[in-house]
């Protein structure tokens, strides 16, 4: 089993930045791919970014490309999501998730999920 804990969310104004963290514990040897997703009330869960644990290859959705950056610190078993130039439409609950075998943007490919951290962008 893998336990994930997100942190770093909060209330910010448009144009400001936040860095989310996702710390993993437990059977971390299962972790091959880590993703960030977000969900707003009444909307489906949306892919944001993903990273390969080995090699560090990344992928970002078009809606955040150039503003958000996913990264990892293997020594700390932690993945980060640096979010710059935040917009009101980025407001959502942000979740990190782990996949054992699937390099995918589809949330169904992820076996373990964190509890989420709320990001609110408002003036």
């Amino acid at each position: 089993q893998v336990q994930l804990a997100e942190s770093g969310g909060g209330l910010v104004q448009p144009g400001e930045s936040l860095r989310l963290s996702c710390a993993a514990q437990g059977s971390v040897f299962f972790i091959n791919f880590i993703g960030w997703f977000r969900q707003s009330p009444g909307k489906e869960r949306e892919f944001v970014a993903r990273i390969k644990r080995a090699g560090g290859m990344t992928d970002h959705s078009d809606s955040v490309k150039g503003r958000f950056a996913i990264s990892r610190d293997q020594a700390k078993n932690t993945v980060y999501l640096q979010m710059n130039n935040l917009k009101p439409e980025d407001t959502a609950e942000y979740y990190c998730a782990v996949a054992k075998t699937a390099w995918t943007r589809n949330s169904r490919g992820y076996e373990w999920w964190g509890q989420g951290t709320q990001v609110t962008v408002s003036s």
Side-chain angles (χ1 to χ4, degrees):
Q1 293 295 321
V2 176
Q3 295 83 43
L4 302 171
E6 302 97 335
S7 61
L11 171 63
V12 296
Q13 295 187 348
E16 294 186 339
S17 299
L18 280 175
R19 189 178 79 157
L20 305 184
S21 299
C22 172
Q25 292 185 326
S27 302
V28 295
F29 49 84
F30 280 140
I31 300 173
N32 289 310
F33 312 108
I34 305 96
W36 282 99
F37 294 80
R38 65 187 182 186
Q39 189 167 22
S40 304
K43 293 187 178 181
E44 293 187 356
R45 192 164 291 188
E46 173 191 15
F47 165 76
V48 176
R50 55 180 170 158
I51 188 167
K52 288 187 179 181
R53 188 184 185 195
M57 180 182 293
T58 64
D59 175 37
H60 298 78
S61 69
D62 288 345
S63 62
V64 307
K65 196 172 294 183
R67 299 188 298 123
F68 291 11
I70 189 172
S71 63
R72 80 209 192 292
D73 184 331
Q74 294 199 80
K76 296 182 179 179
N77 289 320
T78 299
V79 170
Y80 304 98
L81 185 68
Q82 178 66 43
M83 305 187 296
N84 299 325
N85 190 22
L86 282 159
K87 303 176 180 180
E89 52 263 42
D90 295 318
T91 296
E93 188 82 8
Y94 282 71
Y95 300 89
C96 66
V98 161
K100 288 191 292 185
T101 60
W103 175 240
T104 179
R105 290 185 168 194
N106 191 324
S107 61
R108 296 174 187 173
Y110 292 78
E111 284 87 357
W112 294 284
W113 292 80
Q115 294 299 307
T117 184
Q118 177 67 37
V119 172
T120 303
V121 185
S122 176
S123 56

